[in-house]
Amino acid sequence: MTATHDMLFRTLADPTRRAIFERLCRQGEQTVGALTAEAGVSQPAVSKHLGVLKGAGLVRDRHEGRQTHYSAQLGALAPLMDWTREMAGVWESRFDDLENLLKRMDQ
Amino acid sequence: MTATHDMLFRTLADPTRRAIFERLCRQGEQTVGALTAEAGVSQPAVSKHLGVLKGAGLVRDRHEGRQTHYSAQLGALAPLMDWTREMAGVWESRFDDLENLLKRMDQ
DNA sequence: CAAATCAATAACCCATTGGCTATTGATTAA
DNA sequence: TTAATCAATAGCCAATGGGTTATTGATTTG
């Protein structure tokens, strides 16, 4: 579906938002406050980004008292991997090793 | 490099532009005229999109008389695959089979 | 040479978006 | 219960970006 790819690419296109997502991927669940401390933008800006990420299915939120914990939903990246692989022309086998793939991708 | 990912995601985020790129991936080299015929937007718009794609290294152009032929540069997708794989947490082996990967990506 | 075609550029418009501050609602602490 | 903290929302503003038409430059064609 084009709409899905649209949303994924558009959501990840913003560097601040992508940085937040990367952080969640690498460090696991984080509160809004923790994310804000590193984001370099205001708390409302972070909340807005998290809202967009959530809309794209890239994160999940969990409320605990007055704080909200966010975590990455890696499964949402699948359409992105599929699309890239499809564009790269990997039709032949789902079990191609990556080295071979990279070789074919050089020009 | 963040700048590279930025450019790739931002370039591919627009549906019209991504459609042009997909077309070049699937059907190979095309003239601006041929791309315009299918794009649903004006020729200048297509030229602008091609300029952006070229700036991101995703396409190459070849001049032949008064027409310009564009083709996809699949190698430019490598950083995208790397990033996605990195976020998905595939560290262990470059030779992981994709089925296994997808299994781990379900949540 | 004159007319037509192809693609790029210029100049403009409007919608979207990412940022901010201020505020609100909810929860916890004093 | 009053004060403080956390996160979301509202409302605003400036920059960006994708679209348009008009034009230009270059190359073919008549």
Side-chain angles (χ1 to χ4, degrees):
Chain A
M1 186 110 51
T2 294
T4 305
H5 295 142
D6 251 34
M7 178 145 293
L8 284 175
F9 277 113
R10 196 152 27 78
T11 299
L12 295 169
D14 181 76
T16 306
R17 189 159 51 228
R18 197 173 60 253
I20 292 174
F21 179 69
E22 290 182 8
R23 188 173 166 78
L24 290 174
C25 284
R26 295 193 223 272
Q27 269 119 58
E29 193 181 74
Q30 307 270 326
T31 66
V32 175
L35 292 168
T36 299
E38 302 285 323
V41 293
S42 67
Q43 173 266 309
V46 171
S47 279
K48 211 190 268 185
H49 283 306
L50 288 168
V52 175
L53 286 166
K54 187 179 168 189
L58 285 162
V59 301
R60 232 172 65 78
D61 59 347
R62 180 174 70 81
H63 299 280
E64 185 180 322
R66 66 186 167 187
Q67 54 195 2
T68 312
H69 300 259
Y70 282 87
S71 52
Q73 287 292 100
L74 300 183
L77 290 175
L80 210 64
M81 301 199 72
D82 291 345
W83 182 89
T84 313
R85 211 178 313 124
E86 188 181 329
M87 289 309 117
V90 188
W91 295 106
E92 308 76 24
S93 163
R94 301 184 55 217
F95 298 95
D96 277 348
D97 72 72
L98 300 176
E99 185 139 79
N100 182 16
L101 170 61
L102 290 177
K103 218 172 270 162
R104 270 179 288 125
M105 283 178 58
D106 285 337
Q107 283 187 7
Chain B
M1 185 110 52
T2 293
T4 304
H5 295 142
D6 250 35
M7 178 144 295
L8 284 176
F9 277 112
R10 197 151 26 79
T11 299
L12 294 170
D14 180 76
T16 305
R17 188 158 53 227
R18 196 173 61 254
I20 291 174
F21 179 69
E22 290 182 8
R23 187 174 166 78
L24 290 173
C25 284
R26 295 193 223 271
Q27 268 118 57
E29 192 180 75
Q30 307 269 326
T31 66
V32 175
L35 291 169
T36 299
E38 303 283 324
V41 293
S42 67
Q43 173 266 310
V46 171
S47 278
K48 212 190 267 186
H49 283 305
L50 288 168
V52 175
L53 286 165
K54 187 179 169 188
L58 285 163
V59 302
R60 231 174 64 78
D61 59 346
R62 180 174 70 80
H63 298 279
E64 184 181 324
R66 67 185 165 186
Q67 54 195 2
T68 312
H69 299 258
Y70 281 87
S71 52
Q73 288 291 101
L74 299 184
L77 290 175
L80 209 63
M81 301 200 72
D82 292 344
W83 183 89
T84 312
R85 211 176 314 122
E86 187 181 331
M87 289 309 119
V90 188
W91 294 107
E92 308 77 23
S93 163
R94 301 184 54 215
F95 298 95
D96 277 348
D97 72 72
L98 301 177
E99 186 140 78
N100 182 17
L101 169 60
L102 290 176
K103 218 171 272 162
R104 268 179 290 124
M105 281 176 61
D106 286 335
Q107 285 190 6

